[in-house]
Amino acid sequence: MSKTCLILDCFSLVYRAFFGLPSTIKRQDGQPINAVLGFYNTVTGLMQQFQPDYLFVASDHPSPTFRHELFPQYKAQRPPMPMELKSQIPLIEDLVHSLGAPLVKLEGYEADDVIGTITKHAPSDTHCFVITTDRDALQLVSEDVTVIAPNSRANRVFTPDLVKHDMGVPPQRVPDLKALMGDASDNIPGIPLVGPKTAKHWLGLYDSLDGVIENAHLLPGKAGKNLLEGQEDALLYRHLATIEQD
């Protein structure tokens, strides 16, 4: 019988809890705990639902990642963490430890990379459920990995078919898509004048970013010319968008 591995994207769930519950929820000493309470409710609800054999909480490491070294503008547009949330992080880490779950983070890498590595190296008889609101994780979806985006009404459960329907490409091509059209949430520019429709069309014609680049001389218009001139950029953007799994 297949075992269940539950992998939680810590900061994705923490931010969701922080903005989803009023900041007026505080301890008697005035310390805000809305994110702590929301995170606790989410985690305990998931544990009851899945009864997992394995449980991991993956977190970002505070140090710069290899992506920042390759591309200093990576995620540069993101505002700093609100102080009302920052003060709750030690409490959330204490909460994770009290659940007996490992809080896994690694210098130079993001939570996505930790999640990707766990899903790849999980025992063969294990199905992994990744709980995150981060759509980068959709590239991990397979027959053995399901991504669940928590929602107050109904959770979105991403299977390979749903990723193809939602993104227009299969899971393994999500980084190729983002390399072409960009990803505003991560500050990845993409190729100028290449939007989602064009990127999906090109990938439909040539299967992968490598295939698209190989045939860039055949692509019409200014967008095609931009790719022809920006092949190195496209490969860099794909590297930035690809979750490390080792």
Side-chain angles (χ1 to χ4, degrees), residues 135-143 145 147 158-165 167-177 241:
R135 293 173 69 83
D136 290 341
L138 296 184
Q139 65 189 269
L140 301 174
V141 171
S142 67
E143 295 305 318
V145 180
V147 168
F158 286 96
T159 61
D161 286 343
L162 186 57
V163 173
K164 180 73 177 355
H165 177 269
M167 299 292 289
V169 294
Q172 68 272 21
R173 294 294 172 234
V174 169
D176 301 57
L177 180 67

mmCIF file of all heavy atoms in Angstrom, residues 135-143 145 147 158-165 167-177 241:
data_model
loop_
_atom_site.group_PDB
_atom_site.id
_atom_site.type_symbol
_atom_site.label_atom_id
_atom_site.label_comp_id
_atom_site.label_asym_id
_atom_site.label_seq_id
_atom_site.Cartn_x
_atom_site.Cartn_y
_atom_site.Cartn_z
ATOM 1 N N ARG A 135 3.120 28.749 -7.652
ATOM 2 C CA ARG A 135 2.888 28.014 -8.892
ATOM 3 C C ARG A 135 4.170 27.476 -9.519
ATOM 4 O O ARG A 135 4.109 26.650 -10.433
ATOM 5 C CB ARG A 135 2.124 28.891 -9.884
ATOM 6 C CG ARG A 135 0.707 29.193 -9.412
ATOM 7 C CD ARG A 135 -0.001 30.188 -10.300
ATOM 8 N NE ARG A 135 -0.303 29.658 -11.606
ATOM 9 C CZ ARG A 135 -1.357 28.908 -11.894
ATOM 10 N NH1 ARG A 135 -2.228 28.579 -10.945
ATOM 11 N NH2 ARG A 135 -1.576 28.468 -13.126
ATOM 12 N N ASP A 136 5.332 27.916 -9.048
ATOM 13 C CA ASP A 136 6.585 27.320 -9.529
ATOM 14 C C ASP A 136 6.584 25.812 -9.280
ATOM 15 O O ASP A 136 7.171 25.047 -10.050
ATOM 16 C CB ASP A 136 7.791 27.941 -8.814
ATOM 17 C CG ASP A 136 8.035 29.386 -9.231
ATOM 18 O OD1 ASP A 136 7.525 29.803 -10.296
ATOM 19 O OD2 ASP A 136 8.729 30.111 -8.491
ATOM 20 N N ALA A 137 5.938 25.388 -8.211
ATOM 21 C CA ALA A 137 5.945 23.965 -7.838
ATOM 22 C C ALA A 137 5.181 23.093 -8.825
ATOM 23 O O ALA A 137 5.312 21.861 -8.768
ATOM 24 C CB ALA A 137 5.359 23.800 -6.436
ATOM 25 N N LEU A 138 4.416 23.678 -9.721
ATOM 26 C CA LEU A 138 3.638 22.876 -10.672
ATOM 27 C C LEU A 138 4.546 22.033 -11.570
ATOM 28 O O LEU A 138 4.121 21.004 -12.082
ATOM 29 C CB LEU A 138 2.736 23.774 -11.520
ATOM 30 C CG LEU A 138 1.649 24.543 -10.758
ATOM 31 C CD1 LEU A 138 0.759 25.310 -11.723
ATOM 32 C CD2 LEU A 138 0.804 23.606 -9.901
ATOM 33 N N GLN A 139 5.801 22.471 -11.742
ATOM 34 C CA GLN A 139 6.727 21.682 -12.560
ATOM 35 C C GLN A 139 7.078 20.338 -11.928
ATOM 36 O O GLN A 139 7.586 19.446 -12.600
ATOM 37 C CB GLN A 139 8.001 22.473 -12.829
ATOM 38 C CG GLN A 139 8.829 22.779 -11.597
ATOM 39 C CD GLN A 139 9.969 23.737 -11.873
ATOM 40 O OE1 GLN A 139 11.074 23.313 -12.195
ATOM 41 N NE2 GLN A 139 9.712 25.034 -11.745
ATOM 42 N N LEU A 140 6.800 20.179 -10.633
ATOM 43 C CA LEU A 140 7.114 18.931 -9.926
ATOM 44 C C LEU A 140 6.019 17.872 -10.064
ATOM 45 O O LEU A 140 6.234 16.715 -9.713
ATOM 46 C CB LEU A 140 7.339 19.216 -8.435
ATOM 47 C CG LEU A 140 8.455 20.193 -8.070
ATOM 48 C CD1 LEU A 140 8.437 20.470 -6.574
ATOM 49 C CD2 LEU A 140 9.807 19.661 -8.517
ATOM 50 N N VAL A 141 4.861 18.289 -10.554
ATOM 51 C CA VAL A 141 3.705 17.384 -10.581
ATOM 52 C C VAL A 141 3.982 16.197 -11.494
ATOM 53 O O VAL A 141 4.515 16.330 -12.596
ATOM 54 C CB VAL A 141 2.447 18.147 -11.045
ATOM 55 C CG1 VAL A 141 1.284 17.191 -11.286
ATOM 56 C CG2 VAL A 141 2.057 19.200 -10.012
ATOM 57 N N SER A 142 3.616 15.011 -10.998
ATOM 58 C CA SER A 142 3.790 13.769 -11.763
ATOM 59 C C SER A 142 2.784 12.756 -11.242
ATOM 60 O O SER A 142 1.910 13.093 -10.444
ATOM 61 C CB SER A 142 5.215 13.231 -11.586
ATOM 62 O OG SER A 142 5.416 12.797 -10.237
ATOM 63 N N GLU A 143 2.919 11.518 -11.684
ATOM 64 C CA GLU A 143 2.033 10.465 -11.178
ATOM 65 C C GLU A 143 2.258 10.220 -9.688
ATOM 66 O O GLU A 143 1.374 9.726 -8.991
ATOM 67 C CB GLU A 143 2.270 9.156 -11.953
ATOM 68 C CG GLU A 143 1.895 9.233 -13.431
ATOM 69 C CD GLU A 143 0.451 9.686 -13.650
ATOM 70 O OE1 GLU A 143 -0.435 9.213 -12.917
ATOM 71 O OE2 GLU A 143 0.218 10.512 -14.558
ATOM 72 N N VAL A 145 3.555 12.788 -7.579
ATOM 73 C CA VAL A 145 3.591 14.071 -6.869
ATOM 74 C C VAL A 145 2.358 14.890 -7.232
ATOM 75 O O VAL A 145 2.103 15.153 -8.408
ATOM 76 C CB VAL A 145 4.856 14.890 -7.218
ATOM 77 C CG1 VAL A 145 4.858 16.212 -6.456
ATOM 78 C CG2 VAL A 145 6.123 14.096 -6.904
ATOM 79 N N VAL A 147 0.427 18.559 -6.328
ATOM 80 C CA VAL A 147 0.522 19.876 -5.684
ATOM 81 C C VAL A 147 -0.881 20.328 -5.314
ATOM 82 O O VAL A 147 -1.805 20.268 -6.125
ATOM 83 C CB VAL A 147 1.194 20.911 -6.610
ATOM 84 C CG1 VAL A 147 1.019 22.325 -6.057
ATOM 85 C CG2 VAL A 147 2.678 20.597 -6.759
ATOM 86 N N PHE A 158 -3.602 19.772 -8.139
ATOM 87 C CA PHE A 158 -2.963 19.761 -9.451
ATOM 88 C C PHE A 158 -2.380 18.385 -9.774
ATOM 89 O O PHE A 158 -1.406 17.950 -9.175
ATOM 90 C CB PHE A 158 -1.862 20.822 -9.522
ATOM 91 C CG PHE A 158 -2.385 22.227 -9.625
ATOM 92 C CD1 PHE A 158 -2.526 23.009 -8.489
ATOM 93 C CD2 PHE A 158 -2.754 22.757 -10.854
ATOM 94 C CE1 PHE A 158 -3.015 24.312 -8.585
ATOM 95 C CE2 PHE A 158 -3.241 24.057 -10.957
ATOM 96 C CZ PHE A 158 -3.372 24.835 -9.819
ATOM 97 N N THR A 159 -2.996 17.734 -10.734
ATOM 98 C CA THR A 159 -2.479 16.517 -11.353
ATOM 99 C C THR A 159 -1.792 16.915 -12.657
ATOM 100 O O THR A 159 -1.917 18.066 -13.100
ATOM 101 C CB THR A 159 -3.636 15.563 -11.657
ATOM 102 O OG1 THR A 159 -4.535 16.237 -12.576
ATOM 103 C CG2 THR A 159 -4.409 15.192 -10.388
ATOM 104 N N PRO A 160 -1.080 15.995 -13.324
ATOM 105 C CA PRO A 160 -0.463 16.362 -14.610
ATOM 106 C C PRO A 160 -1.469 16.913 -15.623
ATOM 107 O O PRO A 160 -1.174 17.899 -16.321
ATOM 108 C CB PRO A 160 0.148 15.035 -15.076
ATOM 109 C CG PRO A 160 0.478 14.311 -13.810
ATOM 110 C CD PRO A 160 -0.641 14.651 -12.869
ATOM 111 N N ASP A 161 -2.649 16.316 -15.695
ATOM 112 C CA ASP A 161 -3.656 16.789 -16.648
ATOM 113 C C ASP A 161 -4.125 18.204 -16.316
ATOM 114 O O ASP A 161 -4.335 19.022 -17.221
ATOM 115 C CB ASP A 161 -4.864 15.840 -16.674
ATOM 116 C CG ASP A 161 -4.568 14.535 -17.387
ATOM 117 O OD1 ASP A 161 -3.562 14.488 -18.133
ATOM 118 O OD2 ASP A 161 -5.317 13.563 -17.207
ATOM 119 N N LEU A 162 -4.293 18.501 -15.021
ATOM 120 C CA LEU A 162 -4.770 19.822 -14.640
ATOM 121 C C LEU A 162 -3.695 20.886 -14.886
ATOM 122 O O LEU A 162 -4.006 22.008 -15.295
ATOM 123 C CB LEU A 162 -5.216 19.848 -13.178
ATOM 124 C CG LEU A 162 -5.864 21.169 -12.731
ATOM 125 C CD1 LEU A 162 -7.064 21.512 -13.607
ATOM 126 C CD2 LEU A 162 -6.287 21.120 -11.275
ATOM 127 N N VAL A 163 -2.421 20.536 -14.663
ATOM 128 C CA VAL A 163 -1.341 21.474 -14.964
ATOM 129 C C VAL A 163 -1.345 21.798 -16.456
ATOM 130 O O VAL A 163 -1.251 22.960 -16.863
ATOM 131 C CB VAL A 163 0.038 20.904 -14.554
ATOM 132 C CG1 VAL A 163 1.161 21.832 -15.029
ATOM 133 C CG2 VAL A 163 0.112 20.738 -13.043
ATOM 134 N N LYS A 164 -1.486 20.765 -17.306
ATOM 135 C CA LYS A 164 -1.530 20.977 -18.764
ATOM 136 C C LYS A 164 -2.703 21.883 -19.128
ATOM 137 O O LYS A 164 -2.579 22.792 -19.955
ATOM 138 C CB LYS A 164 -1.640 19.622 -19.463
ATOM 139 C CG LYS A 164 -1.703 19.702 -20.984
ATOM 140 C CD LYS A 164 -0.357 20.052 -21.557
ATOM 141 C CE LYS A 164 -0.257 20.087 -23.063
ATOM 142 N NZ LYS A 164 -1.300 19.719 -23.915
ATOM 143 N N HIS A 165 -3.857 21.659 -18.503
ATOM 144 C CA HIS A 165 -5.047 22.471 -18.776
ATOM 145 C C HIS A 165 -4.855 23.904 -18.282
ATOM 146 O O HIS A 165 -5.221 24.865 -18.972
ATOM 147 C CB HIS A 165 -6.269 21.831 -18.114
ATOM 148 C CG HIS A 165 -7.528 22.623 -18.284
ATOM 149 N ND1 HIS A 165 -7.938 23.578 -17.374
ATOM 150 C CD2 HIS A 165 -8.455 22.615 -19.274
ATOM 151 C CE1 HIS A 165 -9.065 24.115 -17.792
ATOM 152 N NE2 HIS A 165 -9.408 23.562 -18.933
ATOM 153 N N MET A 167 -1.879 25.565 -17.380
ATOM 154 C CA MET A 167 -0.697 26.295 -17.855
ATOM 155 C C MET A 167 -0.527 26.241 -19.373
ATOM 156 O O MET A 167 0.218 27.039 -19.946
ATOM 157 C CB MET A 167 0.569 25.732 -17.194
ATOM 158 C CG MET A 167 0.583 25.861 -15.675
ATOM 159 S SD MET A 167 0.720 27.571 -15.111
ATOM 160 C CE MET A 167 2.411 27.957 -15.550
ATOM 161 N N GLY A 168 -1.178 25.264 -20.013
ATOM 162 C CA GLY A 168 -1.031 25.128 -21.462
ATOM 163 C C GLY A 168 0.157 24.296 -21.879
ATOM 164 O O GLY A 168 0.386 24.070 -23.070
ATOM 165 N N VAL A 169 0.927 23.804 -20.899
ATOM 166 C CA VAL A 169 2.083 22.936 -21.160
ATOM 167 C C VAL A 169 2.123 21.869 -20.071
ATOM 168 O O VAL A 169 1.583 22.074 -18.981
ATOM 169 C CB VAL A 169 3.416 23.726 -21.155
ATOM 170 C CG1 VAL A 169 3.479 24.716 -22.310
ATOM 171 C CG2 VAL A 169 3.638 24.431 -19.824
ATOM 172 N N PRO A 170 2.754 20.723 -20.323
ATOM 173 C CA PRO A 170 2.888 19.708 -19.270
ATOM 174 C C PRO A 170 3.831 20.196 -18.174
ATOM 175 O O PRO A 170 4.606 21.139 -18.376
ATOM 176 C CB PRO A 170 3.456 18.493 -20.008
ATOM 177 C CG PRO A 170 4.106 19.045 -21.228
ATOM 178 C CD PRO A 170 3.333 20.273 -21.605
ATOM 179 N N PRO A 171 3.788 19.568 -16.983
ATOM 180 C CA PRO A 171 4.584 20.053 -15.845
ATOM 181 C C PRO A 171 6.061 20.283 -16.150
ATOM 182 O O PRO A 171 6.623 21.312 -15.755
ATOM 183 C CB PRO A 171 4.392 18.954 -14.795
ATOM 184 C CG PRO A 171 3.055 18.374 -15.109
ATOM 185 C CD PRO A 171 2.936 18.411 -16.608
ATOM 186 N N GLN A 172 6.681 19.350 -16.869
ATOM 187 C CA GLN A 172 8.130 19.465 -17.096
ATOM 188 C C GLN A 172 8.497 20.637 -18.007
ATOM 189 O O GLN A 172 9.664 21.020 -18.093
ATOM 190 C CB GLN A 172 8.703 18.156 -17.653
ATOM 191 C CG GLN A 172 8.263 17.812 -19.068
ATOM 192 C CD GLN A 172 6.966 17.022 -19.113
ATOM 193 O OE1 GLN A 172 6.176 17.045 -18.167
ATOM 194 N NE2 GLN A 172 6.756 16.306 -20.204
ATOM 195 N N ARG A 173 7.503 21.234 -18.667
ATOM 196 C CA ARG A 173 7.771 22.363 -19.568
ATOM 197 C C ARG A 173 7.441 23.721 -18.922
ATOM 198 O O ARG A 173 7.570 24.758 -19.572
ATOM 199 C CB ARG A 173 6.984 22.203 -20.870
ATOM 200 C CG ARG A 173 7.420 21.024 -21.707
ATOM 201 C CD ARG A 173 8.838 21.197 -22.233
ATOM 202 N NE ARG A 173 9.326 19.984 -22.874
ATOM 203 C CZ ARG A 173 10.452 19.374 -22.563
ATOM 204 N NH1 ARG A 173 11.216 19.854 -21.576
ATOM 205 N NH2 ARG A 173 10.844 18.286 -23.203
ATOM 206 N N VAL A 174 7.038 23.718 -17.676
ATOM 207 C CA VAL A 174 6.726 24.985 -17.004
ATOM 208 C C VAL A 174 7.947 25.921 -16.978
ATOM 209 O O VAL A 174 7.814 27.117 -17.273
ATOM 210 C CB VAL A 174 6.166 24.733 -15.583
ATOM 211 C CG1 VAL A 174 6.102 26.034 -14.785
ATOM 212 C CG2 VAL A 174 4.777 24.110 -15.673
ATOM 213 N N PRO A 175 9.169 25.441 -16.663
ATOM 214 C CA PRO A 175 10.329 26.353 -16.711
ATOM 215 C C PRO A 175 10.588 26.904 -18.113
ATOM 216 O O PRO A 175 10.996 28.067 -18.258
ATOM 217 C CB PRO A 175 11.498 25.474 -16.237
ATOM 218 C CG PRO A 175 10.849 24.402 -15.417
ATOM 219 C CD PRO A 175 9.548 24.122 -16.109
ATOM 220 N N ASP A 176 10.375 26.101 -19.151
ATOM 221 C CA ASP A 176 10.551 26.557 -20.530
ATOM 222 C C ASP A 176 9.563 27.682 -20.837
ATOM 223 O O ASP A 176 9.920 28.684 -21.474
ATOM 224 C CB ASP A 176 10.325 25.399 -21.509
ATOM 225 C CG ASP A 176 11.272 24.239 -21.286
ATOM 226 O OD1 ASP A 176 11.290 23.706 -20.163
ATOM 227 O OD2 ASP A 176 11.982 23.854 -22.225
ATOM 228 N N LEU A 177 8.323 27.509 -20.381
ATOM 229 C CA LEU A 177 7.290 28.528 -20.594
ATOM 230 C C LEU A 177 7.676 29.841 -19.917
ATOM 231 O O LEU A 177 7.585 30.920 -20.511
ATOM 232 C CB LEU A 177 5.956 28.006 -20.062
ATOM 233 C CG LEU A 177 4.749 28.928 -20.201
ATOM 234 C CD1 LEU A 177 4.368 29.112 -21.667
ATOM 235 C CD2 LEU A 177 3.554 28.367 -19.409
ATOM 236 N N ALA A 241 14.206 29.460 -13.347
ATOM 237 C CA ALA A 241 12.840 28.967 -13.101
ATOM 238 C C ALA A 241 12.780 27.480 -12.778
ATOM 239 O O ALA A 241 11.730 26.973 -12.388
ATOM 240 C CB ALA A 241 11.961 29.257 -14.322
#
